[in-house]
Amino acid sequence: MRKSFGLVEVLKGIDLEVKQGEVFCLIGPSGSGKSTFLRCINHLEKVSSGRLSVAGELVGYQQRGDRLYELKEREVARKRRDIGMVFQRFNLFPHMTALENIVEAPVQVKGVSKAAARERARELLARVGLADKAANYPSQLSGGQQQRVAIARALAMDPKLMLFDEPTSALDPELVGDVLDVMRGLAEEGMTMVVVTHEMGFAREVGDALVFMDDGVVVESGHPRDVLTDPQHDRTKAFLSKVL
C-alpha cells in the first residue's frame, strides 16, 4: 500500500498482516507514516495505490474485475462501523455528557434504541472505570478520563478492529496507567488492536507483534520483546537508544 500527499510519498509500500485477536504495535519517529497508515485503515485517508482489507472486505473500495472503485461515503461509513478508532486528542463532543457521547453513534448510525444504547453505555462506562461520570461533560473530566470515555465510545459500535493513535501521548504521566489498563483488558478479551504508541513497556508486555517504521517504510518487525531487546537494523537501534 502506498499513500502520497501531492508529490510527497508518505507511505512507500507497506505490506503487513494483522491476525485476528492480535495486538499489533507500531513504533517509530514522528513523521514516519504511522498515523497516516492508521487513518488509511478506516479510509479517513484514501490510499494512493495498493489495497487494504479488514475481515476479508476491502475498506473504501469495491473490486469489479481487476479494477477498484471507490465506494460512496454512505457505504464507506457503513463499513467503517466495524472499525473503532481512538485518537490522540480524545475528540469528544464538548456539548454532550460522557453518556451522551457514547450513545450518539449507536443510535444515529446503527439505529439502536435510545434505551438500549443508554444501558450499553452505562455498562461500558463501568468497564472503563467511569461508572460515576456518566453525567459529566468532557470539560469536567481529566485527560485520562476523557480518553477512557473515547475508548468506551468506540466499543459501543461493537467493532471487529480497534485502532489507537498514540492514545496516551497527550496525557499527564500519572494518567497514562489507567488508559493502558483498559487497553490491556481489551487485549485479554481478544480484541484485535493496531496501536501506534511510544509506550514501549505496553508494547513489550501486551503486544503480539511490533513494527518499527521510518520514512514511510517498515524497517523491522517481529515479536515485541525480540525487536526491543535485540534489534537487527541500525536505524532501529538508533531509535530505541533514545526512547528506552
Side-chain angles (χ1 to χ4, degrees):
M1 188 192 76
R2 294 176 179 272
K3 171 63 181 176
S4 297
F5 294 99
L7 298 177
V8 180
E9 191 174 36
V10 178
L11 299 177
K12 304 173 181 179
I14 304 294
D15 186 6
L16 295 171
E17 181 179 5
V18 180
K19 298 175 183 177
Q20 184 174 350
E22 191 171 57
V23 179
F24 192 94
C25 297
L26 294 168
I27 65 171
S30 297
S32 59
K34 307 182 303 296
S35 294
T36 298
F37 173 64
L38 212 65
R39 291 171 67 84
C40 286
I41 294 176
N42 64 358
H43 206 62
L44 288 176
E45 297 287 355
K46 301 174 185 178
V47 300
S48 300
S49 66
R51 60 185 62 205
L52 194 153
S53 60
V54 173
E57 290 193 23
L58 288 169
V59 178
Y61 297 89
Q62 182 182 67
Q63 184 162 351
R64 300 177 200 159
D66 59 353
R67 297 192 63 183
L68 295 181
Y69 295 87
E70 189 172 6
L71 297 173
K72 294 180 180 177
E73 184 55 37
R74 177 178 290 184
E75 294 169 307
V76 173
R78 182 175 60 80
K79 287 182 177 288
R80 199 180 279 144
R81 292 185 306 185
D82 292 333
I83 306 171
M85 186 160 185
V86 178
F87 298 89
Q88 183 176 345
R89 290 287 176 180
F90 326 135
N91 286 8
L92 297 178
F93 297 116
H95 62 290
M96 294 183 178
T97 64
L99 187 80
E100 290 167 345
N101 263 281
I102 299 169
V103 164
E104 184 72 5
V107 170
Q108 298 299 329
V109 179
K110 297 184 76 172
V112 176
S113 72
K114 284 192 174 182
R118 283 178 174 273
E119 181 178 356
R120 173 72 169 146
R122 292 187 187 281
E123 291 173 0
L124 289 169
L125 282 172
R127 182 176 177 181
V128 299
L130 295 173
D132 60 337
K133 302 296 183 182
N136 288 59
Y137 289 89
S139 62
Q140 299 170 316
L141 301 173
S142 70
Q145 290 171 335
Q146 289 185 62
Q147 194 63 292
R148 283 185 279 158
V149 173
I151 294 172
R153 180 177 63 178
L155 291 173
M157 296 295 283
D158 296 315
K160 297 176 182 176
L161 169 67
M162 285 283 285
L163 309 176
F164 293 86
D165 189 6
E166 300 187 19
T168 60
S169 64
L171 303 179
D172 291 333
E174 66 268 23
L175 303 176
V176 168
D178 291 337
V179 173
L180 293 181
D181 285 344
V182 171
M183 294 171 66
R184 284 189 185 92
L186 292 177
E188 290 169 1
E189 293 167 14
M191 174 63 73
T192 308
M193 300 160 62
V194 180
V195 185
V196 172
T197 184
H198 293 299
E199 299 291 340
M200 301 303 162
F202 174 86
R204 182 187 292 109
E205 296 164 23
V206 183
D208 298 298
L210 183 143
V211 161
F212 170 65
M213 286 179 62
D214 187 32
D215 196 27
V217 299
V218 173
V219 176
E220 190 165 343
S221 63
H223 190 277
R225 286 181 184 149
D226 294 336
V227 176
L228 294 174
T229 59
D230 188 24
Q232 301 301 302
H233 196 283
D234 287 343
R235 182 66 188 94
T236 315
K237 293 176 183 177
F239 174 77
L240 292 176
S241 71
K242 297 176 181 178
V243 299
L244 289 178

